[in-house]
Amino acid sequence: MASQDSKKTFYIVLIVILIFLNGFFAYNHWKASQLNTKLEEEKTQLTAELDSVDAELKETTAMLDSIYALNTEISADLEAVKKELEEKRKQIEALLRDKKELDKARALIKSLKADAQKYMARIDSLNAALAALSDTVKVKEEITRKLQSENQQLLSEKTRLTQKVELSSLLIPENIQATGVFLKSNDREVPTTKAKKTQKLKICFDVPENRGVDPGEKTILLRILNPQGATIAITSEGSGLFVTDQGEETQYTTKAQFTYSNKKQNVCTYWTQTQAFGAGTYKIFFYQNGHQLSSAEFTLK
């Protein structure tokens, strides 16, 4: 009887021990499960933080790229910054795979955030410098435009004054007389209006008194148009080309060269040609230094 009671007591104690052990292990399992859940939550949170910081750093790096592109001298500095950020990001990813290293991962993420803030501050500083530089460039461009405008005005005024001075120094022919002539046996010139008798053309004119002109040798070009409106020109007889004040290259028939002494004087020049002169109205245009001075016409019958 006593033996049966002892066995009964043993089983009861054993059952109690088993129940205790089962509860102990169940508690430990629950505790471990809770810890694991917490670690997973922390890992998820840290991963999200890393993604956020990584996006911020990518944006920062892109901004640095756009700014450093303006200055190739600091491109090496940029590459070092990007390399440092990439190494930290890889370290964090490796630590997140090990639940025991979450504290280190958290510290590195904090460091990355600090880097982001540091580089953002640097970007702000660079942007401010670039804005100031842009303002300076704009001011210089505006000054340059004003100087160019003023210079253009001065050049225009100088050109106008030069033209005015040049025009005031022109000797404009007056009292123009043009006719055909033929020579008698004693070489005496006889004026004629008949084309068949004309051996050469004689053109005379007065040059006025002009104290604003330097005395000395002067040349006035004559362009004679035949009755058909074509310029009479024979190179062997002294004809040539000149450029007008409009920039056009034009033929001239002959030239009148004389010594000018600032007094009114009469000048005559001749035009001789091998072929006969045709009947009709001839026109004469006078030029000096490319400027047309005056014109006249005469008729041979």
Coordinates of all heavy atoms in Angstrom, one line a residue, residues 234-240 252-255 271:
I234 N 37.8 104.0 -122.8 CA 38.9 103.3 -123.6 C 40.1 103.4 -122.7 O 40.6 104.5 -122.5 CB 39.1 104.1 -125.0 CG1 37.8 104.1 -125.8 CG2 40.2 103.4 -125.7 CD1 38.0 105.0 -127.0
T235 N 40.5 102.2 -122.3 CA 41.7 102.2 -121.3 C 42.9 102.8 -121.9 O 43.6 103.6 -121.2 CB 42.0 100.7 -121.0 OG1 40.8 100.1 -120.5 CG2 43.1 100.6 -119.9
S236 N 43.2 102.6 -123.1 CA 44.4 103.2 -123.7 C 44.4 104.7 -123.8 O 45.4 105.4 -123.9 CB 44.6 102.7 -125.1 OG 43.5 103.0 -126.0
E237 N 43.2 105.3 -123.7 CA 43.0 106.7 -123.7 C 42.9 107.3 -122.3 O 42.6 108.5 -122.1 CB 41.7 107.1 -124.5 CG 41.8 106.8 -126.0 CD 42.9 107.5 -126.7 OE1 43.2 108.7 -126.3 OE2 43.5 107.0 -127.7
G238 N 43.1 106.5 -121.3 CA 43.1 107.0 -119.9 C 41.9 106.7 -119.1 O 41.7 107.1 -117.9
S239 N 41.0 105.9 -119.6 CA 39.8 105.5 -118.9 C 40.2 104.4 -117.8 O 41.2 103.8 -117.9 CB 38.7 104.9 -119.8 OG 38.3 105.8 -120.8
G240 N 39.3 104.3 -116.8 CA 39.6 103.3 -115.7 C 38.4 103.1 -114.8 O 37.3 103.4 -115.2
Y252 N 35.1 105.3 -115.3 CA 35.1 106.7 -115.7 C 35.8 106.8 -117.0 O 36.6 106.0 -117.5 CB 35.9 107.5 -114.6 CG 37.4 107.2 -114.5 CD1 38.3 107.9 -115.3 CD2 37.8 106.3 -113.6 CE1 39.6 107.6 -115.2 CE2 39.2 106.0 -113.5 CZ 40.1 106.7 -114.3 OH 41.4 106.5 -114.2
T253 N 35.4 107.9 -117.7 CA 35.9 108.1 -119.1 C 37.3 108.8 -119.1 O 38.2 108.3 -119.7 CB 34.9 109.0 -119.9 OG1 33.6 108.4 -119.8 CG2 35.4 109.1 -121.3
T254 N 37.4 109.9 -118.4 CA 38.7 110.6 -118.3 C 38.8 111.4 -117.0 O 37.9 111.3 -116.2 CB 38.8 111.6 -119.5 OG1 40.1 112.1 -119.5 CG2 37.8 112.7 -119.5
K255 N 39.8 112.1 -116.8 CA 40.0 112.8 -115.6 C 40.6 114.2 -115.8 O 41.3 114.4 -116.8 CB 41.0 112.1 -114.6 CG 42.3 111.9 -115.1 CD 43.3 111.1 -114.1 CE 42.9 109.7 -113.9 NZ 43.9 109.0 -113.1
W271 N 38.5 114.9 -124.4 CA 38.3 113.4 -124.6 C 38.4 113.2 -126.1 O 37.7 113.7 -126.9 CB 37.0 112.9 -124.1 CG 36.7 111.5 -124.5 CD1 35.8 111.1 -125.4 CD2 37.4 110.3 -124.1 NE1 35.8 109.7 -125.6 CE2 36.8 109.2 -124.8 CE3 38.5 110.1 -123.2 CZ2 37.3 107.9 -124.6 CZ3 38.9 108.8 -123.0 CH2 38.3 107.7 -123.7

